[in-house]
Amino acid sequence: MAKSTVYFTNELTPEAVVKMYRQLGIELPGKVAVKVHSGEDGNQNYLHPEFMKPVIDAVNGTVVECNTAYGGARNETPKHIELMKKHHWSDLFDVDIMDAEGPDVEWPVENGKVLKVNYLGKNIENYDSMLVLIHFKGHPMGGYGGALKQLSIGVASSYGKAYIHGAGDAKVGFGADHDSFLASMADAASTVAKHFAGKIAYVAVMKNLSVDCDCCAVAEDPCMNDVGILSSLDPVALDRACIDLVINSNDPGRDHFMERVNSRHGTHTIDSAETLGIGTQAYELVKV
């Protein structure tokens, strides 16, 4: 497989997000779903809607989210809608909680390591293309949060999230074998990458680099300095490049960040996704 191209800039402005999307040379057709992480109530690290506004406007996108599978302000549609208002997403954009009403859509997983099916918010089928906006950071369970997490947990329905976490058994939820959970994320991600093949773009912002995810109401403050913005048409290469930028930095917080990634075996998700054929870890980093 040829190397994938990953673009990188150390500029960190709303305009640079647009520039990095444009760098991909892709026009997303039709109705565009824009996947963001809207931030749990109380979280201080999530990227605010103002930062993402120019790029969402550029694709005339609809911000999409799905309900969570755990307690908090986003596990039920009415609360989730209120939080989208509180965090100002609804002020600036059309917002679609894709699993607000059932039933979920079920997409088969081709050659899945763990999962045979992925359960998604049914409104995902209303969109022709997708822009995946990633706030790259650590994660308490996945080790890190990047493109593959946005494609899997990010667009799975509330039930689908529990199903992925449970490695195919929603009742097990957060208690499944850990590597099976990581491989399940890759399985689920592959269905979305394939569904939108040729009509999906990924932009990752390496800012507010906490070891905790934006899903944490109480998150550790960032442990590293901001790095920059990356973009690619390959989610596997993008996640790998983000991890490599951390590993290769001389930031004093690097070891703390990588301890979170490595202790959770985070890169197993990247390895699994590569074997499913949705991307490659061989990439060329092109500075913009």
Side-chain angles (χ1 to χ4, degrees):
M1 195 182 239
K3 285 186 177 179
S4 289
T5 303
V6 179
Y7 296 100
F8 172 71
T9 181
N10 51 19
E11 272 182 73
L12 268 163
T13 63
E15 293 69 34
V17 183
V18 182
K19 181 176 86 171
M20 296 306 284
Y21 161 67
R22 293 266 181 242
Q23 199 68 37
L24 298 171
I26 187 174
E27 278 298 324
L28 296 176
K31 192 170 180 188
V32 184
V34 181
K35 179 67 183 78
V36 301
H37 199 308
S38 52
E40 183 56 66
D41 196 19
N43 182 277
Q44 77 277 33
N45 297 323
Y46 76 97
L47 300 178
H48 288 233
E50 294 77 10
F51 192 82
M52 299 302 197
K53 185 176 191 316
V55 78
I56 297 172
D57 288 348
V59 300
N60 193 24
T62 301
V63 167
V64 300
E65 272 282 35
C66 283
N67 291 317
T68 59
Y70 49 83
R74 298 181 302 137
N75 63 338
E76 292 163 0
T77 301
K79 288 194 292 182
H80 202 163
I81 288 170
E82 282 307 308
L83 188 70
M84 294 305 269
K85 289 178 187 163
K86 182 177 175 180
H87 282 179
H88 303 299
W89 294 100
S90 308
D91 297 346
L92 299 179
F93 313 111
D94 291 335
V95 171
D96 182 3
I97 310 295
M98 294 191 294
D99 63 338
E101 296 171 13
D104 294 343
V105 292
E106 299 176 28
W107 288 355
V109 181
E110 292 170 32
N111 309 315
K113 299 278 190 317
V114 180
L115 304 184
K116 298 288 176 278
V117 66
N118 185 25
Y119 296 92
L120 305 100
K122 74 170 172 36
N123 293 1
I124 196 166
E125 295 195 335
N126 297 340
Y127 297 92
D128 303 299
S129 58
M130 182 175 263
L131 174 62
V132 185
L133 294 179
I134 300 131
H135 176 208
F136 181 85
K137 67 275 177 200
H139 194 279
M141 288 197 71
Y144 81 97
L148 295 168
K149 181 174 176 290
Q150 282 284 56
L151 288 175
S152 55
I153 298 289
V155 292
S157 67
S158 181
Y159 175 83
K161 287 178 172 63
Y163 188 79
I164 294 166
H165 270 287
D169 185 347
K171 292 191 287 295
V172 172
F174 295 87
D177 168 70
H178 191 70
D179 276 6
S180 298
F181 152 61
L182 297 172
S184 296
M185 278 206 290
D187 285 348
S190 72
T191 69
V192 182
K194 286 174 180 173
H195 179 84
F196 289 111
K199 297 180 289 189
I200 186 164
Y202 306 89
V203 181
V205 181
M206 296 184 72
K207 179 176 166 43
N208 300 353
L209 289 159
S210 169
V211 297
D212 285 328
C213 180
D214 300 340
C215 56
C216 303
V218 180
E220 201 178 285
D221 282 334
C223 66
M224 288 182 65
N225 289 314
D226 296 343
V227 176
I229 303 173
L230 297 86
S231 62
S232 186
L233 299 176
D234 179 339
V236 177
L238 187 67
D239 278 8
R240 183 73 253 176
C242 289
I243 295 279
D244 287 347
L245 281 171
V246 175
I247 291 171
N248 295 324
S249 83
N250 51 15
D251 191 291
R254 174 196 65 188
D255 293 349
H256 181 53
F257 190 96
M258 286 311 300
E259 190 280 328
R260 172 60 59 93
V261 177
N262 293 332
S263 64
R264 308 305 197 270
H265 204 188
T267 56
H268 185 58
T269 307
I270 303 176
D271 296 338
S272 293
E274 184 177 42
T275 64
L276 291 168
I278 59 165
T280 174
Q281 293 185 63
Y283 66 92
E284 182 187 1
L285 195 69
V286 177
K287 296 213 163 91
V288 179

